[in-house]
Amino acid sequence: MSVTGGRDPGRECFSRLMKKYRLSFFALLLFAASSPAAELRFTGPELAGFIQNAFNGTVIRLNADSPAVPGKPAIRGSFVQLGPLLGRQRFLFSVPSQTIELGLGGEAVFSINDINSNPDFVQHLSTGLVRFGQNIRVTASPNSFTVMVRFEDEGTEIKGEPAGRLRRLRGEAVPDIEISAMLLQIALTPQQQGIAFQPSQVTFLGDIQAQGFANIQLFGRKVDLFDAMTDYKKIIKGSIEGEVKHLVDQNLPVIAANLSREAQRRAAALGVRITGARFEGTMLVVAGSPSL
């Protein structure tokens, strides 16, 4: 290769490329330093899907306690069992029975009877297997997420039994009670700063079917049980709302951590380093800067 005038064309070409590369590199640094912070936005319906995943597999059962027998204590019959993402924790609790005076020394005892949020669950009580709860749905409103847990409507929800001086009567003397359209609603309201939630609000809904027991006849006397059953519904409502709220509030940090991991995964895929996060209603806004 010839050299003209003592100059090396190859070296000059390399020098020009390096100069151009340095200019491009410094331009990139200048752009990164002067560009505004990046923002990732997760919509409410998108986050509702992640919360749905956290609650999938949750099962709620309401049933009367098994009475104590010699050598064995009473066994609580109701429980909430969380799904896989929340550690499959099971928490037992009791829904007390309701005793109603019928006069003439007679009583009626009403007890909750085998109510399940997942109808498939009752088929697996003997083996302990639990399928994913198919009756759970999560929606997003402008300010909160709502977890809705539906219950089966089949069978008898409240069993009535004669007691006291009436205990020798046939069970049919005291009617059973049905509760329809049972629904548990769990409201999760995000905090404004960070990825976290305020304490949950839990509401249990259901309609008592009044046919057949508003006025029953016992020994020629008319007995109105509607008010008594309305009071018992309040006992059931208070029991399940209190237990579910306690359990959900314990696991709110786990649900928030799942959302945080998803935000970090999305940010890393886009080359963004997270510097902060906040909720705007149910929209999650994640702030960050380009990763170099």
Side-chain angles (χ1 to χ4, degrees), residues 19-33:
K19 184 177 181 181
K20 188 175 182 180
Y21 171 78
R22 285 195 298 269
L23 288 174
S24 299
F25 179 72
F26 286 123
L28 178 61
L29 287 178
L30 181 62
F31 171 78

Side-chain angles (χ1 to χ4, degrees), residues 228-243:
M229 285 299 97
T230 301
D231 290 340
Y232 189 37
K233 178 186 169 184
K234 292 178 182 178
I235 294 175
I236 298 171
K237 176 181 172 70
S239 296
I240 187 172
E241 287 178 354
E243 294 295 335

Side-chain angles (χ1 to χ4, degrees), residues 192-206:
Q192 291 184 348
Q193 295 299 319
I195 302 178
F197 294 92
Q198 299 177 20
S200 64
Q201 294 181 325
V202 180
T203 305
F204 180 73
L205 304 172

